[in-house]
Structure formats: C-alpha cells, structure tokens
C-alpha cells in the first residue's frame, strides 16, 4: 500500500473559514429580523435601526431588558447582555448611513383626514395641550440627537402598532413617559391620520438626526420626557418648517 492510501481522510480537510470578530457579525441576530444592516424588515413591523440616534436605540434595548417594552424574542436576546454592550450595539447601528426607501403607504383615507394628520404633526392642537410632533422629533422629522427618533421612513403598520401599544400600556418608557401622555389626548381616528400622513412623506435630502432640540418653548411639566430630558430645556423661537412639511394639505381626490 502506498503512503498516500494510508493517509487519514482528515488530512485533506479544508481549513475552517475564519470569521472576523466585528459588531457587524455579532449583530446578525438583529439583522435577521431588522433587515440587512438594520435597514428594516420586509413585513412592515420590524423597524429600521440604521442611523437612529444612539441614545434612543440604547434606551429601547434597556426597555426590552427591563420589561417596559414587551416582545419575548427581543427580551431573550438582550437579557444576557450587559448595559455597556447594549450601548455598543446601539452606537454601531447609529453610525450606519444608508439610503431610505421611498414611502409605500397606500391605505384608503380621506384627504381631510390626511390634512388633520399633517396639522397635528406640524402644528399640534393647543385645545388638547398637544405640541406638534416636530417640536420633539425635529423640524425635518428625522429625530434629534441623542435620544429622539425620527418619524419618517417608518412603515404604516409599525407606526400604528407602536401608537396602539402606547395606548394600551404595552409600550412604556422611563418616567415621565411623555408619549404615553400624548396618545391619551389623541382619539384613535386622529392617530391613524397622523400615522397615515407620516408614512406617505418622502425623506429630506439630509436624513441625519438634528444635532439639537428644535427652537421653541420647553415642554409643559405634564409632558416631560424621562428618556429625553433635553426636551424640557427652553430654547429660542421656532424656525420655519422645511418646504416638504409646509406643503399644502391634500386636496379632495388626491391620494
């Protein structure tokens, strides 16, 4: 018998593939649901992670770990991880700069309801003590560093699900929970109007979160945000809305 025929079959086995130990590899469990590089899942319920403020992402991971948000898969994923490591994950996704897809919302809704949604988003409702969404989420609605998320580029189903979760107490935040208080003041039809209008808006050219809170008055005491205490700091008079948000309300017969 020749020496080659006596050799072990394992001698010709291929060298194991080396995997680079990077945060991109470590977060593959996240992107299985939230899409490649955290671009968002395909079903409309798993939101985008890429480019969101790091403080906001970190707070949400803490909320899952500490029971303020309820989704068993997320809770099981983050439970063994330290708070410092959750912060590293949040920073990784926050630094990803990826293009957003075009809006796809096509639910049937009357033009006057869309106009109501635009009004609440850009002007609020003083009679109900509601600030405009832009007062906290930025005049471009792309979020504010370090703790406030953007509202554009999110699927309609996700927006409706989260607003509903705040209404039912399934989603909570650090006290004071400003969003829980806000949704109490908005009837369900108006919440749908808000989400429907937001989900139809294209992203501005600059999709980055704003670096500071929009100019304007501080939030009232009953709308303070424990997750974003910087929103309670009074600033200068508000600036004008960008053109895409100051557009005329939808007219009858328009989608």
């Amino acid at each position: 018998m020749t020496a080659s025929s006596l050799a072990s079959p394992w001698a010709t086995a291929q060298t194991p593939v080396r995997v680079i130990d990077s945060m991109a590899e470590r977060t593959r469990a996240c992107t299985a649901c939230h899409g490649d590089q955290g671009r968002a899942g395909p079903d409309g319920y798993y939101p985008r992670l890429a480019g969101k403020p790091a403080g906001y992402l970190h707070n949400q991971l803490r909320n899952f770990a500490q029971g303020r948000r309820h989704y068993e898969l997320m809770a099981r994923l983050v439970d063994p991880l330290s708070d410092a490591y959750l912060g590293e994950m949040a920073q990784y996704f926050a630094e990803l700069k990826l293009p957003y897809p075009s809006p796809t919302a096509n639910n049937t809704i009357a033009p006057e309801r869309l106009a109501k949604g635009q009004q609440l988003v850009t002007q609020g409702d003083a009679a109900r003590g509601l600030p405009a969404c832009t007062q906290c989420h930025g005049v471009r609605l792309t979020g504010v560093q370090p703790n406030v998320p953007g509202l554009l580029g999110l699927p309609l189903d996700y927006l409706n699900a989260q607003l509903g979760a705040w209404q039912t107490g399934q989603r909570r935040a650090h006290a004071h929970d400003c969003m829980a208080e806000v949704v109490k003041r908005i009837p369900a039809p108006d919440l749908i109007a808000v989400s429907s209008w937001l989900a139809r808006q294209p992203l501005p050219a600059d999709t980055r979160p704003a670096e500071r809170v929009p100019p304007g008055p501080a939030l009232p005491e009953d709308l303070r945000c424990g997750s974003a205490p910087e929103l309670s700091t009074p600033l200068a008079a508000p600036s004008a809305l960008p053109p895409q948000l100051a557009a005329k309300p939808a007219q009858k017969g328009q989608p």
Side-chain angles (χ1 to χ4, degrees):
M1 299 180 70
T2 64
S4 60
S5 66
L6 293 174
S8 167
W10 299 110
T12 59
Q14 294 183 350
T15 302
V17 176
R18 288 183 174 273
V19 177
I20 298 175
D21 184 12
S22 65
M23 189 57 75
E25 287 295 329
R26 295 181 184 185
T27 56
R28 283 191 179 274
C30 306
T31 58
C33 293
H34 289 275
D36 181 43
Q37 295 182 289
R39 295 173 185 261
D43 61 359
Y45 288 99
Y46 292 94
R48 181 185 180 97
L49 303 178
K52 288 189 174 180
Y56 170 76
L57 292 174
H58 195 182
N59 280 335
Q60 298 318 301
L61 291 170
R62 287 167 168 161
N63 288 342
F64 282 114
Q66 298 167 12
R68 286 182 291 271
R69 292 188 69 172
H70 303 282
Y71 186 51
E72 184 179 1
L73 178 58
M74 279 296 303
R76 291 171 63 184
L77 282 172
V78 301
D79 182 63
L81 305 178
S82 69
D83 187 68
Y85 192 75
L86 295 180
E88 290 182 45
M89 292 171 59
Q91 190 65 44
Y92 164 73
F93 281 111
E95 291 174 357
L96 295 177
K97 310 303 180 188
L98 305 171
Y100 279 77
S102 299
T104 58
N106 59 1
N107 61 313
T108 301
I109 184 169
E112 58 267 23
R113 298 308 303 158
L114 280 181
K116 181 64 175 179
Q118 180 184 22
Q119 175 193 340
L120 289 169
V121 170
T122 60
Q123 301 174 34
D125 187 339
R128 298 177 188 168
L130 286 169
C133 299
T134 52
Q135 184 173 337
C136 295
H137 293 273
V139 292
R140 292 180 292 115
L141 294 169
T142 56
V144 178
Q145 296 286 10
N147 297 311
V148 184
L151 298 180
L152 300 186
L154 293 170
L156 177 62
D157 288 338
Y158 177 76
L159 287 168
N160 283 333
Q162 298 313 304
L163 291 171
W166 262 302
Q167 279 192 319
T168 60
Q170 291 299 303
R171 178 170 180 174
R172 295 179 289 119
H174 292 285
H176 300 272
D177 190 346
C178 54
M179 276 302 301
E181 182 60 33
V182 165
V183 297
K184 290 178 184 177
R185 305 180 186 187
I186 307 178
D190 285 354
L191 285 176
I192 294 173
V194 165
S195 61
S196 297
W197 187 82
L198 287 170
R200 283 167 163 76
Q201 304 312 302
L203 274 294
D206 185 359
T207 61
R208 295 173 299 174
E211 291 298 323
R212 58 185 61 86
V213 177
L219 291 171
E221 186 72 13
D222 56 350
L223 289 181
R224 288 185 301 156
C225 286
S227 297
E230 64 274 15
L231 295 176
S232 296
T233 303
L235 295 173
S239 57
L241 288 171
Q244 73 272 16
L245 297 182
K248 296 179 179 179
Q251 300 297 314
K252 187 174 182 179
Q254 292 182 347

